[in-house]
Amino acid sequence: MADTAPRTAALLHDLVLASLDDDQAMDVVSLALEGKSSIADYMVIASGRSTRQVASMAQKLSERIKHGGYGHVRIEGLPAADWVLVDAGDVVIHLFRPEVRTFYNLERMWNFGDAGAA
């Protein structure tokens, strides 16, 4: 039974990456956090060209995760949509406008010295 959680997290991660690809997210980076942090198994960081695209990606991602049977997600930052956090439990997704992403540089903060990019 303990084996199911990593597989479920991996399937959710695949769904997230497919959703972002469908929505033409830019510069998608995936960081494996399993064994490195207790907050999630994966962190995905991506950019949208505008606040409108960032908001749209977050809303569609939330719907796809729910319809995929992974339950409800928490979304923060949607009104401004400069930086939107989508918390899907095993996968945490950060969606940025490019300028905001460059300012916060989460990849550098969370990269543990391994390649980590998807």
Side-chain angles (χ1 to χ4, degrees):
M1 187 80 162
D3 218 27
T4 335
R7 270 187 271 149
T8 302
L11 293 172
L12 175 57
H13 179 249
D14 291 345
L15 184 148
V16 167
L17 294 178
S19 178
L20 293 174
D21 186 55
D22 288 348
D23 293 336
Q24 300 177 0
M26 302 180 317
D27 302 322
V28 178
V29 174
S30 176
L31 303 172
L33 300 181
E34 188 176 6
K36 299 173 184 174
S37 175
S38 61
I39 63 165
D41 289 341
Y42 299 95
M43 179 182 296
V44 178
I45 304 167
S47 297
R49 289 180 289 283
S50 65
T51 55
R52 186 174 180 172
Q53 184 188 18
V54 168
S56 176
M57 287 190 303
Q59 290 169 329
K60 287 180 183 178
L61 186 55
S62 173
E63 291 169 16
R64 289 171 180 150
I65 290 169
K66 181 181 173 187
H67 293 316
Y70 295 97
H72 292 280
V73 300
R74 286 191 358 228
I75 300 177
E76 295 181 24
L78 201 52
D82 285 330
W83 175 2
V84 177
L85 170 69
V86 180
D87 184 350
D90 291 331
V91 181
V92 174
I93 306 99
H94 295 272
L95 303 172
F96 290 99
R97 280 189 315 101
E99 307 80 36
V100 178
R101 181 176 180 173
T102 300
F103 180 79
Y104 286 102
N105 199 4
L106 288 186
E107 293 96 325
R108 188 166 144 209
M109 182 187 312
W110 281 94
N111 198 348
F112 294 98
D114 45 33

